Amino acid sequence: MSEASANAVVEIRCTVNAEPRAFRAYPMARLLDVLRGELQLTGTKEGCGEGECGACAILLDGELANSCLVPALHADGAAIITIEGIAGGDQLHAVQQAFLECGGAQCGICTPGMVLAAVNLLERHPNPDDAQIREGLAGNLCRCTGYMRIFEAVVQACRASGVHR
Amino acid sequence: MQREPYIGSAVPRKEGREKATGRARYVDDLSFPGMIYGATVRSAIPRGRIRGIHFDPAIAWNEFTVVTARDIPGKNVIALIVDDQPCLAEQLINHPEEPVVLLAHADPYVLEKARRAVRIETEPLPAVFTIEDSLAKKEVVWGEDNIFKTYLVQRGDVDAAWENAAQIVEGEYFTGAQEQLYIEPNGMIAIANPQDGVSVWGSMQCPFYVHKALAALFDLPKEKVRVIQTETGGGFGGKEEYPSMIAAHAALLAWKSGKPVKIIYDRAEDMAATTKRHPSRTRHRTAIDREGKLLAMEIDFTIDGGAYETLSPVVLSRGTIHAAGPYFCPNVRVDARAMATNAPPHGAFRGFGAPQSIFALERHFDVVARRAGLTPAEFRRRNFIRKGQSSAVGQVIHEQVEMGKLLDRALQLSDYQAKSKRFALENPTSRLKKGMGLATFMHGAGFTGSGEEYLASVVSVEASREGKIRVMAASTEIGQGTNTVFAQIAADALGLPYDWIEIAQPDTSAVPNSGPTVASRTVMIVGKLVESAALSLKQTLQRANLLSPDFTAAEFASACSNYIAAHGALKSTVQYQPPPNVHWDDVKYQGDAYSAYAWAAYVSEVSVDTTTFEIHVDDFVAVQEVGRVMNPVLATGQIEGGIAQAIGYALYENVVWREGRMMNSQMTNYIMPTSADLPPIRVFFEEQPNDYGPGGAKGIGELPMDGPAPAIANAIEAATGVSVNRIPITPEVLMEAMENVRV
């Protein structure tokens, strides 16, 4: 690893959605492209490519990160969660179930990142107030909903208290 | 079947589970074997002659597919209304970012490097960038006089009315461009060759618009062009006409390379090169009598259409018809025009001309109210149109319109009176000044006048042997809930479970043309056809004596099985019929402009920081009469989302232009509202069933875009005493107005 250069593909090992994965990528390749390309996890979306919209949000070692700004090398040894890892098999996460019931998704393109952000918010603040919800989701742009139904979904997910690991 | 109707209930979104789990497949999630990537080389100048195209010899061009206008098999045009917009510029450039050369390669990184290695040699020509310069004909850049279209609406005798006026009030109002900013950028995948024809998959609102454009470009018969809508991540009008252009580009590269070609725009390209909302300038001159009743309205309405005509005549039409609002005025003149400038063509964006003219009107009416010595609410109450009266274009209102009641309800819910009083007391000694502002307006649903008759939309509904239902229409799901509401309508019409209804993916080879997904028409017009087709299918079974009056779902399934065994298929197809007694004169521009209007009263509460000039919307109340709420969660979501976009239009979304090019074409510096920026948005519905929509529904998709900007500008005046007549009202704009300084 000490001889890594930007022009040479390197081997990267991490866990993605609790499964060990190994792949080869350029160190500065965007993690977003590795997820969507090599790993064929197309749930994570590109909205802006500059870390503004949050559509590419994932959990990287438990922290919300915009994968369009994460170099692939940074994923080495990390635990990554994408939208595909949020539901427990056929059982939706409480946040996803709440999105369905409250109308949190309209066109759906921001939804994967927004769900990740909401899951992460509830891990940090299991019973967030309005200000904490707004702050926690401020890195995820939604053009369709005006955010109201998303806030409601977060509150509903709290009530259902189904935050599972 | 004994159950609650689906119409009116919050059934879950048809494709909601896929969206919540990341399994919904948008165009960039799709891959075809052997697929390569496409990119577009665009003009850097606003106007000029193309002298040559130079390819840097450092690139191995033999690895690339290269397409120019010469490779177009049919007409080099993106067919829409008039054929003035080329697919690829050939001799002339008319706007920055105009497409000139297309490239394709298997490696998207190599492709991007190559894109920068193509130089378009040009001889610049003088250009125009503002409405004023275009009107003045500083340069004639389109046609004989830069004018795409004009409309003149007249009723009564405006010129004679000024003499009798107690007050004459003038004002000039401006709205800026606005980027639709769907979170999924434009994208297409094409497979094309002379033997099989052209197929495209992609993000779009109107598959048959793309179909028409490709057939003309490739000179192919209809059956050889196939357009399929993939899950679409937002449209708002930005994917009404533009997709024809990107589809054409992908298809040309596919045709020449013999491989599937994917083009996905990155955000910067999408913002700089594709359509935006038309900027506008409106001049008002209004005469009122001593009681504050309207005597005359003279309105001069101009929109900036960019470099090619595209949809500007239709945007102008809607803006013109909405320019005089939900008021009665005996003498009206609306003189309207759409002008050419050397910017990328402006296009459809939710509201489509109405947000522009309604901003001007509702801002102006607060000024008129003050001159009349009346409150904003009281002035409007004295002038609201009522049943039996006619609008500026002569449309007699046949429904019981209660604008006064909607306004009263909005004022009460927003605590307008008490807050206004309190703010008036507190503001003089407070750095943070607060104000309340209102706007009252209407929005017509469906295509204008004879537009729906011209579209002649068709919908089919088919049953399987198991009684499962397939609804076939060209209407696209773009987040607004098309799939869900169509399924609710069909399920109720047939008396079947919601889960038995499937909505076919819009694919021009498999669905009839039910028209574009625009103009707030999807539920009211196409949904009605879904209902008719479903009822017709049920009647077919009933007439064949296969269904008892109280049939169960299982009995319905048997009936289908029997019918199909005997007849081979069970399918109903219906076509739009214009409602009786709805007449529109296209020449005089008079008559029944729309078959239904939704009516609304919005109230905004703002606080203005007089040190930083930042404006924050603290509360927003939206009351609207919409005929019938088909699905409360979806309908509320539409209003909330539209208000959020309109708050952006009013305060944050500033397009910075330099010589026809958008300079802030990234999300870093084109600001749309985040969750931290928006107020609680409180939505209230009233229902007065409309004769023509399913369940009595009217259209609501665009309505929420019209009211917030003027309500906010009015609230800012209440808070600061300063009249701001342009949007977006950024802190710089407000500072200029408040301190009379140039920033």
Side-chain angles (χ1 to χ4, degrees):
Chain A
M1 265 319 196
S2 54
E3 293 303 308
S5 94
N7 294 331
V9 167
V10 293
E11 172 106 349
I12 290 166
R13 290 171 200 280
C14 55
T15 63
V16 180
N17 299 328
E19 276 184 30
R21 301 298 292 261
F23 52 87
R24 303 174 66 72
Y26 287 104
M28 291 305 293
R30 302 184 311 173
L31 179 58
L32 173 63
D33 294 321
V34 170
L35 290 170
R36 289 177 54 79
E38 274 85 352
L39 300 182
Q40 301 194 306
L41 295 167
T42 58
T44 307
K45 309 297 181 194
E46 175 164 359
C48 72
E50 47 174 320
E52 287 289 336
C53 74
C56 67
I58 53 147
L59 296 175
L60 183 65
D61 290 334
E63 300 214 354
L64 195 68
N66 288 326
S67 61
C68 72
L69 295 181
V70 177
L73 187 60
H74 204 78
D76 194 50
I80 294 165
I81 310 276
T82 69
I83 184 68
E84 288 90 347
I86 293 295
D90 274 335
Q91 170 87 358
L92 294 181
H93 189 288
V95 166
Q96 291 169 312
Q97 186 61 37
F99 263 62
L100 279 187
E101 287 162 21
C102 300
Q106 288 188 26
C107 82
I109 195 76
C110 80
T111 305
M114 194 70 76
V115 166
L116 264 304
V119 167
N120 180 253
L121 165 68
L122 292 176
E123 278 167 5
R124 292 181 292 113
H125 301 285
N127 198 14
D129 61 24
D130 185 61
Q132 286 170 325
I133 295 175
R134 284 172 179 275
E135 173 73 30
L137 300 182
N140 291 74
L141 296 179
C142 175
R143 195 50 159 168
C144 294
T145 65
Y147 306 100
M148 300 295 295
R149 319 264 108 236
I150 295 173
F151 298 152
E152 212 178 278
V154 172
V155 171
Q156 178 146 316
C158 289
R159 280 200 215 107
S161 63
V163 179
H164 64 263
R165 308 278 159 210
Chain B
M1 272 196 76
Q2 307 288 75
R3 60 153 175 82
E4 284 297 304
Y6 291 112
I7 289 178
S9 81
V11 296
R13 179 176 280 275
K14 250 304 164 193
E15 74 291 344
R17 220 179 153 90
E18 286 80 355
K19 286 175 171 172
T21 55
R23 287 206 300 269
R25 307 271 279 166
Y26 302 81
V27 63
D28 196 25
D29 302 328
L30 304 179
S31 202
F32 287 69
M35 188 175 79
I36 63 177
Y37 300 91
T40 313
V41 183
R42 300 175 177 278
S43 164
I45 63 161
R47 186 165 180 253
R49 278 184 241 282
I50 298 176
R51 285 293 176 224
I53 301 172
H54 302 279
F55 295 83
D56 187 332
I59 303 285
W61 292 109
N62 62 318
E63 286 178 17
F64 291 79
T65 305
V66 180
V67 164
T68 64
R70 266 175 291 200
D71 295 301
I72 294 172
K75 247 184 128 187
N76 180 13
V77 108
I78 298 294
L80 192 56
I81 299 176
V82 306
D83 291 347
D84 66 331
Q85 184 180 30
C87 171
L88 291 169
E90 205 161 358
Q91 280 144 16
L92 288 172
I93 298 285
N94 284 300
H95 65 81
E97 308 303 310
E98 185 157 14
V100 183
V101 181
L102 304 169
L103 305 173
H105 194 281
D107 184 329
Y109 299 100
V110 169
L111 178 65
E112 175 56 25
K113 208 169 166 190
R115 191 183 64 81
R116 300 171 195 218
V118 181
R119 185 173 62 88
I120 303 163
E121 186 194 339
T122 52
E123 180 196 299
L125 289 168
V128 288
F129 305 115
T130 65
I131 283 173
E132 281 69 30
D133 284 352
S134 183
L135 283 168
K137 298 205 263 280
K138 266 203 167 161
E139 283 302 316
V140 174
V141 300
W142 193 91
E144 309 283 304
D145 53 11
N146 291 336
I147 301 175
F148 291 126
K149 185 77 181 179
T150 63
Y151 289 113
L152 182 65
V153 168
Q154 297 195 98
R155 76 103 64 101
D157 188 348
V158 165
D159 301 309
W162 308 118
E163 298 176 353
N164 303 318
Q167 300 272 0
I168 297 176
V169 187
E170 296 186 343
E172 187 176 55
Y173 307 90
F174 298 90
T175 65
Q178 186 188 14
E179 161 58 34
Q180 295 89 345
L181 212 57
Y182 27 76
I183 304 293
E184 182 212 16
N186 273 284
M188 289 285 171
I189 301 173
I191 294 178
N193 61 71
Q195 293 74 43
D196 305 316
V198 174
S199 298
V200 300
W201 290 257
S203 192
M204 67 181 82
Q205 294 172 226
C206 311
F208 281 93
Y209 279 11
V210 179
H211 185 273
K212 172 182 160 183
L214 292 174
L217 192 82
F218 285 90
D219 193 19
L220 285 170
K222 286 184 189 175
E223 318 76 63
K224 289 219 141 180
V225 177
R226 183 179 172 212
V227 178
I228 303 122
Q229 183 231 2
T230 51
E231 195 75 75
T232 294
F236 315 112
K239 293 173 183 168
E240 172 174 348
E241 74 272 37
Y242 193 81
S244 297
M245 177 71 79
I246 182 176
H249 292 171
L252 285 168
L253 286 168
W255 184 272
K256 193 161 184 187
S257 66
K259 300 195 168 104
V261 172
K262 175 189 267 192
I263 299 181
I264 308 287
Y265 287 175
D266 74 11
R267 182 56 60 183
E269 179 175 23
D270 197 299
M271 289 176 87
T274 73
T275 65
K276 290 173 207 46
R277 188 186 294 285
H278 291 63
S280 76
R281 182 192 80 181
T282 311
R283 292 173 169 167
H284 271 273
R285 190 164 189 243
T286 309
I288 51 173
D289 69 14
R290 252 184 280 275
E291 275 79 52
K293 293 212 74 176
L294 289 166
L295 289 177
M297 288 173 69
E298 185 166 24
I299 305 172
D300 180 283
F301 178 59
T302 310
I303 62 176
D304 174 350
Y308 297 108
E309 187 173 302
T310 62
L311 294 176
S312 292
V314 201
V315 174
L316 186 69
S317 161
R318 191 173 270 276
T320 299
I321 293 169
H322 286 77
Y327 307 102
F328 177 73
C329 180
N331 306 291
V332 179
R333 180 188 298 133
V334 185
D335 195 354
R337 66 207 66 76
M339 305 303 296
T341 62
N342 297 107
H346 296 301
F349 190 165
R350 199 174 197 170
F352 206 77
Q356 291 94 321
S357 65
I358 291 173
F359 170 73
L361 178 70
E362 285 302 295
R363 182 69 203 104
H364 184 63
F365 269 11
D366 263 29
V367 178
V368 178
R370 200 175 337 108
R371 288 277 294 274
L374 298 170
T375 64
E378 184 54 30
F379 170 71
R380 287 169 173 80
R381 270 192 211 102
R382 294 187 186 191
N383 290 287
F384 281 138
I385 199 166
R386 291 189 309 276
K387 179 174 177 178
Q389 293 182 314
S390 62
S391 71
V393 293
Q395 176 160 13
V396 177
I397 304 300
H398 292 297
E399 57 178 320
Q400 193 61 37
V401 180
E402 309 270 20
M403 285 298 299
K405 284 204 183 137
L406 291 176
L407 176 56
D408 288 343
R409 192 172 172 212
L411 295 176
Q412 185 248 321
L413 288 162
S414 60
D415 206 16
Y416 182 98
Q417 315 286 12
K419 282 187 168 173
S420 296
K421 279 207 180 79
R422 194 176 93 224
F423 298 159
L425 284 172
E426 293 172 351
N427 282 342
T429 52
S430 174
R431 176 187 128 185
L432 206 65
K433 298 195 192 297
K434 300 193 183 203
M436 305 292 289
L438 62 89
T440 50
F441 56 101
M442 74 215 182
H443 198 93
F447 265 43
T448 309
S450 42
E452 289 298 337
E453 199 171 341
Y454 163 76
L455 282 176
S457 298
V458 176
V459 168
S460 293
V461 170
E462 186 163 23
S464 72
R465 273 170 231 278
E466 294 79 34
K468 300 294 159 69
I469 301 295
R470 212 151 173 269
V471 175
M472 287 168 281
S475 304
T476 52
E477 173 64 58
I478 54 172
Q480 82 286 57
T482 302
N483 291 347
T484 307
V485 177
F486 279 7
Q488 289 175 260
I489 291 168
D492 277 357
L494 292 163
L496 292 175
Y498 174 68
D499 290 336
W500 282 38
I501 318 292
E502 180 207 332
I503 312 299
Q505 182 182 25
D507 172 342
T508 57
S509 70
V511 303
N513 188 354
S514 60
T517 308
V518 304
S520 306
R521 64 187 296 273
T522 297
V523 168
M524 191 177 87
I525 304 283
V526 188
K528 186 68 176 172
L529 293 172
V530 171
E531 182 184 71
S532 303
L535 287 173
S536 169
L537 188 145
K538 185 169 72 174
Q539 274 160 25
T540 300
L541 292 173
Q542 284 164 337
R543 268 189 247 110
N545 283 319
L546 291 168
L547 276 182
S548 61
D550 278 314
F551 62 90
T552 63
E555 283 162 4
F556 182 87
S558 291
C560 290
S561 179
N562 290 338
Y563 188 92
I564 291 169
H567 296 94
L570 175 54
K571 183 175 176 182
S572 259
T573 297
V574 298
Q575 182 159 47
Y576 177 79
Q577 297 298 328
N581 310 318
V582 175
H583 301 294
W584 172 254
D585 186 329
D586 245 331
V587 174
K588 295 205 194 99
Y589 234 63
Q590 272 171 27
D592 302 317
Y594 298 97
S595 60
Y597 292 92
W599 310 89
Y602 284 7
V603 177
S604 169
E605 178 187 330
V606 306
S607 50
V608 177
D609 185 326
T610 53
T611 302
T612 65
F613 302 98
E614 285 170 286
I615 301 146
H616 192 263
V617 182
D618 296 325
D619 187 38
F620 201 97
V621 165
V623 178
Q624 48 259 303
E625 190 285 303
V626 301
R628 183 75 189 275
V629 177
M630 300 298 279
N631 180 318
V633 167
L634 295 182
T636 304
Q638 280 301 284
I639 303 300
E640 289 166 348
I643 288 171
Q645 278 184 320
I647 290 174
Y649 186 44
L651 296 177
Y652 305 115
E653 297 183 41
N654 189 32
V655 178
V656 178
W657 296 101
R658 190 183 305 155
E659 302 234 315
R661 196 190 184 281
M662 179 184 189
M663 296 312 293
N664 56 331
S665 55
Q666 301 265 206
M667 285 196 180
T668 297
N669 48 16
Y670 179 85
I671 309 301
M672 65 161 265
T674 71
S675 62
D677 299 313
L678 290 173
I681 300 171
R682 304 192 282 131
V683 175
F684 305 89
F685 290 110
E686 300 198 1
E687 295 175 309
Q688 193 153 275
N690 159 49
D691 291 335
Y692 308 128
K698 301 177 177 181
I700 63 165
E702 295 170 283
L703 176 77
M705 202 80 214
D706 296 339
I712 289 167
N714 290 340
I716 290 170
E717 185 176 29
T720 63
V722 167
S723 187
V724 185
N725 297 335
R726 64 171 62 240
I727 51 171
I729 305 172
T730 60
E732 292 87 341
V733 167
L734 185 60
M735 178 175 161
E736 234 178 80
M738 288 188 72
E739 303 209 327
N740 248 315
V741 290
R742 283 255 79 194
V743 176

